[in-house]
């Protein structure tokens, strides 16, 4: 019998899929995988109902023209520089295939969103991580000298995620300017994963593209913005002149993203902007963040407050994700899932607060019960 290649055999069930599966199996509140428990907004669902039956055949591989136009207007980029993808995950995988290959090194920050590592390796490249370090409550610091020291003659690209999953950190203007200076000095590509661009709790994050439009590929996600993570509509905003080749490459993978969902997102994007939908979302999430962070602190956990995303990291020595999902009835993601070279402190976990208030309250009740029973 022939055998699967090692790259296929080494792919395991993702921590997100695993925790969601265990949450169902053990009847746990799922604060693990980041998906909202509320339904997407009515204006999006109505647009989808209209689209099914009228926009059912293949879209052009670069995306439905209506969606590229709507996105262009929303992001302030030329629609011709956009490529619509089957979720941001495909967008990131596509960029890995397009921008680096065997012998290349790709810089990324640790804690690192789990798929960045295998996507780089599948492209034949070597991921090189630069640590974000914990500095007491609330802050993850970046030492730019660590970043500069990580650049070698083989470095090809720098992959950034801001707001950052899992830490919720937003990179400052000064940091982004330093990254751009480094990229220009060493002629690196910049890949900016900005799927949480509308989920911030202070100042609006700066898009890296505005500082280096000639070399930045920006990744975005309708699933994150419009609370429909299963729709799989993502995009890449390319530097001028690159969208055509990228669309050519993406058609080899899945040809096009699902057409009715593209049509629905195209209709929904201007409505979301005009009705202040994102502002409402932020308000709702800050309230839930406060609820969860306050409850966790009362239980003795150290909370690292995010500046964006719908995740927070908390540390309670003795808490262990596998035990908690099975015995306390609360699913979370262990920090080890985001580790590449640095061992996270024991008891460090990521919790999603894009869940209902009732679910968050019940999770806190269960954790209090668990603590009371001696863990
Ligand atoms: N982005 C999601 C999270 O961090 C997971 C994405 C996925 O499971 N594909 O929870």
């Amino acid at each position: 019998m022939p055998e699967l290649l090692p790259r296929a055999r080494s792919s395991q069930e993702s921590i997100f899929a695993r925790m969601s599966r265990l949450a169902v199996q053990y009847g746990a509140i799922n604060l693990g995988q980041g998906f909202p428990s509320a339904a997407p907004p009515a204006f999006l669902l109505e647009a989808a109902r209209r689209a099914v039956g009228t926009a059912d055949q293949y879209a052009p591989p670069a995306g439905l023209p209506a969606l590229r136009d709507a996105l262009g207007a929303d992001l302030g980029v030329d629609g011709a520089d956009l490529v619509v993808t089957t979720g941001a995950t495909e967008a990131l995988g596509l960029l890995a295939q397009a921008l680096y290959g065997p012998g290349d090194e790709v810089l990324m920050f640790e804690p690192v969103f789990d798929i960045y590592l295998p996507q780089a390796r599948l492209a034949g490249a070597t991921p090189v991580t630069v640590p974000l370090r914990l500095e007491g409550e609330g802050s993850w610091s970046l030492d730019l000298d660590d970043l500069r020291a990580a650049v070698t003659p083989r470095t090809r690209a720098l992959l950034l995620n801001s707001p950052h999953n899992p830490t919720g950190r937003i990179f400052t203007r000064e940091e982004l300017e330093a990254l751009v200076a480094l990229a220009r000095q060493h002629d690196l590509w910049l890949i900016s994963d900005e799927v949480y661009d509308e989920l911030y709790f202070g100042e609006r994050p700066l898009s890296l593209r505005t500082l280096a439009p000639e070399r930045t590929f920006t990744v975005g996600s309708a699933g994150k913005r419009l609370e429909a993570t299963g729709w799989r509509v993502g995009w890449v905003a390319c530097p001028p002149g690159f969208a055509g080749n990228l669309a050519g490459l993406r058609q080899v993978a899945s040809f096009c993203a699902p057409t009715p969902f593209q049509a629905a997102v195209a209709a929904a994007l201007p409505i979301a902007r005009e009705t202040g939908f994102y502002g409402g979302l932020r308000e709702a999430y800050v309230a839930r963040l406060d609820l969860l962070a306050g409850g966790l602190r009362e239980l003795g956990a150290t909370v690292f407050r995010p500046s964006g995303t719908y995740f927070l990291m908390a540390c309670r020595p003795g808490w262990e994700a596998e035990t908690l999902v099975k015995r306390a009835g609360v699913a979370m993601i262990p920090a080890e899932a985001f580790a590449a070279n640095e061992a996270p402190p024991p008891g460090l976990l990521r919790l999603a607060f894009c869940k209902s208030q009732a679910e968050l309250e019940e999770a806190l009740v269960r954790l209090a019960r668990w603590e009371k029973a001696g863990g």
Side-chain angles (χ1 to χ4, degrees):
M1 276 295 286
E3 278 196 349
L4 290 178
L5 289 176
R7 67 177 174 228
R9 281 184 274 131
S10 67
S11 296
Q12 297 161 6
E13 183 185 30
S14 91
I15 187 69
F16 308 111
R18 174 175 169 74
M19 279 300 160
S20 286
R21 179 169 60 74
L22 290 177
V24 171
Q25 189 180 337
Y26 288 90
I29 306 282
N30 191 354
L31 307 187
Q33 194 173 27
F35 61 88
S37 45
F43 60 82
L44 182 69
L45 299 180
E46 275 159 32
R49 283 187 199 105
R50 281 195 305 273
V52 174
T54 58
D56 304 286
Q57 310 307 332
Y58 299 123
L64 270 188
L67 178 54
R68 295 171 88 199
D69 288 348
L71 275 172
D74 196 274
L75 300 168
V77 302
D78 188 337
D81 295 330
L82 287 158
V83 178
V84 176
T85 55
T86 307
T89 303
E90 187 192 52
L92 290 160
L94 179 65
L95 289 171
Q97 295 297 321
L99 302 183
Y100 27 90
D104 293 337
E105 292 174 1
V106 188
L107 295 174
M108 51 188 81
F109 297 98
E110 179 176 359
V112 61
F113 182 58
D114 71 330
I115 59 164
Y116 295 175
L117 300 171
Q119 284 185 336
R121 291 187 186 119
L122 279 173
T126 305
V128 175
T129 55
V130 175
L132 300 173
R133 295 191 195 282
L134 270 178
E135 283 196 338
E137 282 246 342
S139 74
W140 292 80
S141 72
L142 163 64
D143 185 340
L144 287 167
D145 286 335
D146 286 343
L147 179 64
R148 293 186 191 104
V151 178
T152 76
R154 292 168 174 266
T155 310
R156 215 44 201 145
L158 171 59
L159 169 53
L160 180 80
N161 173 213
S162 181
H164 179 261
N165 179 5
T167 66
R169 186 182 198 277
I170 293 179
F171 286 69
T172 64
R173 172 181 280 275
E174 292 67 36
E175 287 167 344
L176 296 182
E177 283 171 350
L179 300 190
V180 167
L182 199 69
R184 289 200 171 126
Q185 186 188 346
H186 297 277
D187 201 19
L188 311 180
W189 290 115
L190 292 169
I191 303 163
S192 190
D193 175 354
E194 299 178 12
V195 297
Y196 300 101
D197 61 350
E198 290 294 342
L199 289 176
Y200 55 88
F201 310 123
E203 232 175 273
R204 169 178 283 277
L206 188 65
S207 178
L208 189 59
R209 182 183 62 246
T210 58
L211 300 179
E214 83 287 359
R215 65 182 63 241
T216 306
F217 290 85
T218 313
V219 174
S221 158
K224 293 291 187 307
R225 281 185 169 204
L226 298 170
E227 306 261 280
T229 59
W231 284 27
R232 314 312 297 140
V233 177
W235 58 82
V236 185
C238 305
F242 290 93
N245 282 335
L246 209 62
L249 188 59
R250 64 98 52 226
Q251 73 184 335
V252 178
S254 65
F255 193 77
C256 66
T259 309
F261 291 132
Q262 290 194 54
V265 171
L269 281 172
I271 302 175
R273 190 62 69 194
E274 285 152 22
T275 58
F277 171 73
Y278 302 121
L281 210 56
R282 289 191 283 272
E283 267 173 40
Y285 281 144
V286 168
R288 291 184 210 168
L289 165 60
D290 288 342
L291 169 71
L292 185 61
L296 289 169
R297 284 199 190 97
E298 272 174 36
L299 293 174
T302 305
V303 174
F304 303 97
R305 195 177 170 90
S307 304
T309 75
Y310 39 50
F311 305 114
L312 69 75
M313 294 195 90
C315 190
R316 175 85 177 129
W319 282 8
E320 200 268 315
E322 193 82 16
T323 313
L324 288 172
V325 67
K326 293 180 180 164
R327 301 193 30 220
V330 183
M332 310 175 193
I333 305 293
E336 288 80 8
F338 308 103
N341 296 305
E342 310 264 321
L348 186 64
L349 298 149
R350 191 199 74 176
L351 294 85
F353 51 87
C354 46
K355 311 291 171 173
S356 70
Q357 186 178 326
E359 284 170 295
L360 295 175
E361 282 166 352
E362 174 61 18
L364 288 168
V365 166
R366 291 183 183 193
L367 289 171
R369 204 180 294 141
W370 169 257
E371 283 284 293
K372 213 170 158 192

